[in-house]
């Protein structure tokens, strides 16, 4: 007879132990962690143990701050020392570009509640005397930086969970996972089966193997990672004696190094360019407390920089070199959350910064399991951000690229090249031939802008080589017409006798009638945004939904979770089964009249099936540019023919192809927001200014209705605003702080230069009490506080007459 428990957590590293603790803290004490060896037997035991709050994603940074604050709590509860040393640190820049990046990180810290200070190299030297100030342009002082005992932290989590009533077992190996007849799970082990409702894959180095037990191929790969520990250094002893404290942490990004004190010496680690993956297809089950063979030649280039930037190291002996594997996802962020289509299966893996993020990951996942929602904005960590296109052959080069660039600058206009091209549309080569500079979105090649011969992106924080050309694309659309490839949108067909009732419950809008479409906010139970879609009705039993491409798996998981077993509804994820083109601008109707006469008769927000040139297509009169525009959807085999027909007919009307950067410029003129920026699961529809699309009075009791009504009653806490920025040679990219009369009150969600209106624009959230202020705002861009003037009306066509023109 099987054992029975509510949750089984597979893996006894710091992440699995954190999940166990947070489940127990939430009252789910009927939870069991099982580990094939001892706790910490994967990557945890040989980790360098550093922890910090700084992260490029503000939402991840919040969870890192929570993690570090948690260590005191679990230490006191368990009686187990975590060995946490809060030393503070310096992040160093040896180039002007890196110093600009550090300034932006400092600015983000202001609204995250993370204390930082931009300082000179000389001030950094006073704080960390081992560095040579002549090698640097500037630095960022951090306060919440430190290191800990990896084993101590893991046992503190596990012992705390046990005190609260949960359990963990070591030396029990999982051999299989089966679906039970009652819909739950049977976890097979070498010591008997365990029946449960939920399985959490916290397998770390073995997460791929655990995923494969239920037919999943998770996009993670282990990389070899080396750090060295020096013999005792007299310089360290001198600093300790003089300050009465440890040597503070240092991160030398351009040297690809991190440093901290280790007893009487120093620890130096590197993310070297010549990185090496480990066990690319299968992780040996017998691997445990072994280390990998060191390869000092591989990290020699980084060490040479380290000896130059930190001269005392040149005379230090090396006591030990640690080389051990740990796992990455393609973008370096964790993979957490429920697995689409596999109810009760949860991911908690790819957490390479386990001692900075493990507590936050455990809290978010425990909330998700027990309450149905993570309680935070975890989009950057959600396993749903990847799909079945992340094969082993894709994942492995992307992870290696990410590892080798972990300390490199990622400029806002920079596109990384590993594992590309992967997904392409039928007109990919045609667009490239026209000069398209391609980017990648959810694995798909997408056109960013069209460059003349010999012109390419020059990576920069400031306006770059694309600026004039993107401006020409945007202005041409406003004056004549533009043609954009939009195949990357997510696309769904919802059909069946109960399709209307299903969507009326899932979407907060009033459903469109046949032949019409509408903007469709989707809410969670707490009234916050779960989606930003367009809904079109073909007939009473057939609807089509369109949304952000990166959210395809996220949306599909939500739709499938909401479907009742009694409903006659099919949910089809169309993907690239339909490819798309978007034509917009004042000449768009004249162009279409020559190849699709019926399209020229369409009213704003009409949706119909019709022939476009020689192709059967779906057409909607809608435009994210805010101009007169049409979206055309067709099967892939027809896209090239329609594209050529539009270019041919449009030539006499000034039609030219445009990219996504021009689209961004144009949507900013309309104050249009986008998913994962302005619209995220932490904002309500009133706060996001989408409430006009919410049918509060419709008879259907849609998901989140009560909470949305409550938000409308109280007014919510925030408001989305648009601003014109007194910018010079750089525009906002997102996450900059918004100040009012010198006080940080909000943050930028996105922005850029609105070329057709010659205005630098930022969108972002502020507390609602500031939303009616006409002046007093500034937004920091690369260390400069720039005047920000609210834009209560869109820069282009504020009354939407152009978009709605009969």
């Amino acid at each position: 007879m099987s054992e029975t428990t509510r949750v089984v957590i597979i893996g006894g590293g710091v992440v699995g132990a954190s999940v166990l603790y947070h489940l127990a803290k939430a009252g789910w004490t009927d939870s069991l962690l099982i580990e094939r060896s001892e706790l910490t037997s994967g990557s945890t035991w040989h980790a360098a143990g550093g922890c910090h709050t700084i992260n490029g994603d503000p939402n991840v940074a919040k969870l890192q701050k929570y993690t570090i604050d948690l260590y005191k709590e679990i230490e006191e509860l368990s009686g187990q020392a975590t060995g946490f040393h809060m030393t503070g640190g310096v992040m160093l820049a040896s180039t002007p570009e890196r110093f600009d990046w550090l300034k932006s990180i400092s600015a983000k810290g202001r609204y995250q509640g993370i204390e930082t200070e931009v300082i000179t190299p000389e001030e950094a030297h006073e704080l960390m005397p081992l560095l040579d100030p002549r090698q640097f342009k500037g630095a960022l002082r951090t306060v919440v930086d430190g290191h800990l005992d990896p084993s101590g932290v893991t046992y503190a989590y596990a012992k705390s969970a046990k005190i609260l009533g949960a359990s963990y077992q070591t030396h029990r190996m999982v051999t299989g996972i089966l679906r039970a007849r009652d819909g739950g799970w049977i976890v097979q082990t070498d010591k008997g089966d365990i029946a449960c409702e939920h399985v959490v894959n916290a397998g770390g180095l073995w997460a791929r193997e655990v995923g494969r037990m239920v037919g999943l191929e998770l996009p993670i790969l282990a990389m070899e990672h080396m750090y060295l520990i020096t013999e005792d250094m007299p310089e360290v002893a001198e600093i300790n004696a003089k300050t009465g404290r440890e040597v503070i942490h240092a991160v030398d990004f351009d040297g690809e190094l991190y440093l901290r004190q280790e007893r009487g010496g120093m620890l130096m680690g590197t993310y070297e360019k010549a990185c090496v993956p480990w066990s690319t297809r299968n992780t040996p089950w017998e691997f445990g407390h072994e280390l990998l063979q060191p390869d000092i030649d591989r990290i020699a280039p980084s060490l040479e920089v380290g000896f130059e930037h930190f001269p005392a190291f040149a005379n230090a002996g090396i006591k030990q070199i640690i080389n051990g594997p740990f796992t990455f996802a393609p973008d370096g962020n964790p993979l957490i959350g429920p697995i689409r289509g596999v109810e009760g299966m949860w991911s908690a893996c790819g957490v390479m910064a386990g001692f900075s993020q493990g507590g936050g990951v455990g809290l978010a996942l425990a909330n998700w399991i027990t309450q149905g929602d993570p309680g935070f904005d975890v989009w950057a960590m959600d396993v749903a951000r990847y799909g079945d296109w992340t094969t082993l052959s894709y994942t492995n080069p992307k992870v290696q690229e990410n590892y080798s660039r972990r300390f490199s600058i990622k400029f806002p206009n920079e596109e990384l090249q590993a594992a590309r091209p992967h997904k392409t549309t039928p007109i990919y080569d045609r667009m490239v031939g026209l000069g398209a500079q391609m980017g990648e979105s959810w694995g798909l090649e997408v056109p960013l802008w069209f460059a003349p011969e010999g012109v390419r992106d020059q990576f920069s924080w400031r306006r770059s080589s694309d600026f004039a050309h993107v401006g020409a694309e945007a202005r041409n659309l406003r004056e004549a017409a533009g043609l954009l490839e939009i195949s990357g949108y997510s696309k769904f067909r919802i059909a069946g006798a109960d399709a209307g009732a299903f969507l009326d419950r899932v979407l907060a809008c009033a459903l469109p009638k046949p032949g019409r479409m509408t903007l469709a906010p989707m809410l969670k139970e707490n009234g916050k945004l779960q989606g930003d879609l367009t809904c079109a009705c073909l007939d009473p039993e057939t609807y089509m939904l369109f949304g952000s491409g990166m959210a395809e798996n996220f949306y599909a998981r939500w739709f499938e979770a909401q479907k009742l077993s009694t409903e006659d509804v099919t949910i089809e994820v169309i993907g690239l089964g339909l490819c798309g083109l978007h034509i917009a601008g004042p000449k768009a109707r004249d162009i279409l009249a020559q190849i699709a006469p019926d399209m020229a008769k369409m009213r704003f927000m009409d949706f119909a099936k019709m022939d476009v040139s020689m192709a059967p297509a779906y057409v909607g009169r809608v435009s994210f540019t805010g101009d007169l525009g049409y979206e055309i959807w067709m099967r892939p085999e027809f896209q090239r023919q329609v594209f050529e027909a539009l270019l041919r007919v449009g030539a006499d009307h000034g039609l030219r192809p445009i990219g996504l950067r021009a689209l961004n410029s144009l949507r900013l003129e309309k104050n249009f927001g986008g998913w994962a920026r302005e619209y995220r699961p932490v904002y309500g529809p009133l706060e996001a200014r989408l409430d006009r699309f919410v049918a509060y009075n419709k008879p259907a009791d849609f998901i989140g209705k009560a909470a949305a009504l409550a938000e409308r009653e109280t007014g919510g806490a925030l408001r989305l605003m648009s601003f014109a920025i007194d910018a010079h040679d750089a525009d906002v990219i997102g996450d900059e702080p918004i100040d009012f009369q010198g006080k940080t009150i909000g943050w930028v969600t996105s922005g850029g230069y609105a070329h057709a209106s010659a205005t630098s624009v930022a969108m972002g959230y502020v507390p609602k009490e500031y939303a009616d202020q006409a002046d007093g705002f500034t937004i920091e861009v690369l260390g400069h506080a720039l005047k920000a003037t609210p834009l209560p009306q869109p820069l282009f066509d504020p009354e939407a007459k152009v978009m709605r023109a009969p």
Side-chain angles (χ1 to χ4, degrees), residues 517 519 534 582 604-606 620-624 627 629-631:
M517 60 196 307
L519 296 182
T534 303
H582 177 51
F604 179 62
M605 300 305 278
D606 271 356
R621 188 181 152 187
V622 65
S623 174
F624 197 44
D627 222 305
Y630 303 81
E631 291 180 354

Side-chain angles (χ1 to χ4, degrees), residues 59 62 373-379 524 526-530 675 677-685 687-688 711 717-718 747 765:
N59 298 291
K62 291 176 185 176
D373 188 87
F376 305 91
D377 187 342
V378 297
W379 170 256
K524 300 189 292 184
N526 64 3
K528 302 302 183 183
L529 292 171
Q530 183 69 7
W675 180 253
R677 281 297 189 174
E678 285 70 42
Y679 311 139
R680 295 183 73 135
V682 289
Y683 306 127
E687 295 175 327
E711 181 195 56
L718 303 170
W747 57 93
Y765 282 90

Side-chain angles (χ1 to χ4, degrees), residues 163 200 223 260 285 325 475 576 589 672 720 752 803:
I163 289 169
V200 177
M223 298 295 296
R260 67 167 176 84
W285 286 108
R475 289 187 294 271
L576 290 176
R589 194 183 342 236
F672 287 167
L720 179 62
M803 189 167 59

Side-chain angles (χ1 to χ4, degrees), residues 682-700:
V682 289
Y683 306 127
L686 178 62
E687 295 175 327
R689 300 188 185 274
L690 291 176
D691 54 308
R692 65 189 184 278
F693 303 113
V694 175
Y696 294 98
N697 296 322
K698 73 175 181 178

